[in-house]
Amino acid sequence: MTAPLDVLVVGAGPTGLALATQLRVHATRFRILDRSLDRAHESRALAIQPRTLEALAGFGVTDELVDRGNPTMRLRMHLPRRVVQMPLFDIGLADTAYPFLLFLSQAETEDVLSEHVAAQGVVIERGTELVQLEPKGSYVSCRLRNRDGEEETVDARYVVGCDGAHSTVRTQAGIDFEGSAYPQVFLLADLEVDGLEPGAVHAYMTGTGMLLFFPLGSPASWRMLAMRPPGTPDTEVKLGLLQEIVDAYTTDRLVLRDPAWMTDFRLHNRGATRYRSGPFFLAGDAAHIHSPAGAQGMNTGIQDALNLGWKLAVVCQGAAPEELLETYEAERAPVGRSVLRFTDRAFTIATSRNPALRLARTQLAPRLIPLALRATGMRGRLFRTVSELGIHYHHSPASSTGPRSSKRGPRAGDRLPDLPRGLQARTAGRGYHLLLSGPPDLWPDERLAPVLRGRADLVSVHRLNEESPWPDVTQGLVRPDGYLGYVARGTHLEGLCVYLDRWLCRRGRGR
């Protein structure tokens, strides 16, 4: 009889592949399947945020993503009477090795992640679909069907739905997906454009809406996104229609040619009411879908996966209590809701035909945007939000501050900054990483022995000396996903022991 799986991953897009990457690092028993016969070859999502590049760096894939992508740094906003140019991510990002928005098509991102998991011995079961889920005691019975129509049943402790907006896992888990569709129809194309300055994002702001061009490189030089004008016949998307829209939205002489892909679609703003139901979890588009404003969707999904993956792994290994899995929804659902609100507001401002919003878009924006660009503090906060470096888990049950909190430096629940440069790379290995700042003689081995006893294989110790993100004597415990679970000032380790006793079992305890 085949041994039960720890995890069944349903969906092999960027979210599922990121989850598989982390499960493989932790030697978890899992399978990953996707009903599609091949990965995406269209551009779809087209940008990777700095936080996602950081989170993937420890797996050795970020350099390849950067080599294939376009780290453009400029946005050109074409207003009615002027063009305003602003850099992307020029301030507020000193604590990351990736201070840029990387333009790279989803097809390329999936290719890099697919090649990586394949090199690690992971088989992506293409053309295999999930048919039925049935909880049975401590396992879920999962009925699968392959491309030839043959069925098999496998048991798994947990099932993760990374299977998109029409998630089978979400439906069978009985989790509602609340929200609505926007009334507008959008046109999307990957193509060549003559007349556009290369190396920049171009945004045309008009009373009708916004016309956007993003630099891609592959499968074409540009991605075009525009709203179908009201009254336009609902016909097949062709190059002539796209050229008509461009001519109506701008007085620039832009010539479209050689389309690699064209389509139309409607956008939705929906979120799952729960991210977990018993042994079932949701991540990525299965948990939240929204407009592409701010390039948040794929990035949020990948970070969902990297938050969940290590938790599933250590629980399945018996190294952590089941309670740890409850922190997934506590940490990621607020992020999902925030993204839904942010993208909805940005989308409404950009597309609404409400007279007041049209006035703001065409008359007020040209006057206010140049002033806003001079406010470096405001721009820095905006960049940190969009880059997802500002995401934190301060209110998570798995974030705890010791009896004496550090007055400066990162807090419990913050991501570990990459300051001094290279600190994130030092803590990128599997397991937890205990950072100890101050003179090394404050942290002798005998002081640390009670902390490490029974779990030395899951906690690595780093004596930082002056190379610390804290200015005083501080202890910080970095989780496997790069966030600080515990922070305290001073050398007393009782609080750290209490934290670890709650969230990380000593060898011989747990399952």
Side-chain angles (χ1 to χ4, degrees), residues 193-409:
V193 184
D194 296 331
L196 274 183
E197 179 183 327
V201 178
H202 295 265
Y204 292 84
M205 302 179 66
T206 72
T208 304
M210 291 187 73
L211 168 66
L212 300 170
F213 290 99
F214 302 92
L216 272 183
S218 175
S221 298
W222 295 96
R223 151 75 65 86
M224 172 184 166
L225 175 65
M227 188 171 70
R228 186 189 285 267
T232 303
D234 187 13
T235 57
E236 179 183 358
V237 180
K238 295 185 177 180
L239 188 61
L241 172 62
L242 299 179
Q243 186 68 61
E244 289 176 9
I245 291 173
V246 168
D247 293 343
Y249 272 54
T250 174
T251 57
D252 293 349
R253 293 186 176 181
L254 305 181
V255 178
L256 310 183
R257 59 181 175 81
D258 301 330
W261 177 57
M262 298 180 290
T263 189
D264 59 358
F265 63 98
R266 275 197 166 155
L267 294 172
H268 294 250
N269 187 278
R270 300 182 188 274
T273 54
R274 291 174 291 165
Y275 281 30
R276 180 189 185 184
S277 178
F280 307 119
F281 294 84
L282 303 177
D285 285 357
H288 42 73
I289 57 171
H290 42 78
S291 88
Q296 301 292 292
M298 181 184 71
N299 293 273
T300 303
I302 289 174
Q303 291 175 50
D304 287 345
L306 298 182
N307 181 288
L308 177 61
W310 69 272
K311 296 175 181 178
L312 287 169
V314 294
V315 169
C316 288
Q317 292 166 5
E322 175 82 14
E323 180 187 7
L324 181 65
L325 297 179
E326 294 297 325
T327 67
Y328 171 63
E329 179 164 354
E331 293 176 353
R332 295 306 298 175
V335 175
R337 290 192 292 268
S338 176
V339 169
L340 289 172
R341 289 193 300 269
F342 168 77
T343 56
D344 181 60
R345 290 169 184 166
F347 177 85
T348 300
I349 292 171
T351 63
S352 176
R353 297 185 62 79
N354 177 281
L357 289 179
R358 290 183 66 182
L359 177 66
R361 193 164 60 231
T362 59
Q363 301 298 322
L364 297 180
R367 296 179 174 87
L368 295 179
I369 287 176
L371 297 176
L373 292 180
R374 299 191 189 107
T376 57
M378 179 187 301
R379 196 162 86 241
R381 288 191 295 272
L382 174 62
F383 289 169
R384 289 194 72 82
T385 298
V386 175
S387 68
E388 302 191 348
L389 295 172
I391 291 173
H392 63 78
Y393 306 134
H394 293 164
H395 305 295
S396 168
S399 299
S400 180
T401 301
R404 298 178 63 203
S405 61
S406 185
K407 295 180 179 179
R408 289 183 291 165

Side-chain angles (χ1 to χ4, degrees), residues 40-59:
H41 288 277
E42 304 85 12
S43 61
R44 299 186 187 179
L46 50 76
I48 307 180
Q49 299 288 354
R51 178 56 194 152
T52 304
L53 293 171
E54 284 185 348
L56 292 173
F59 303 109

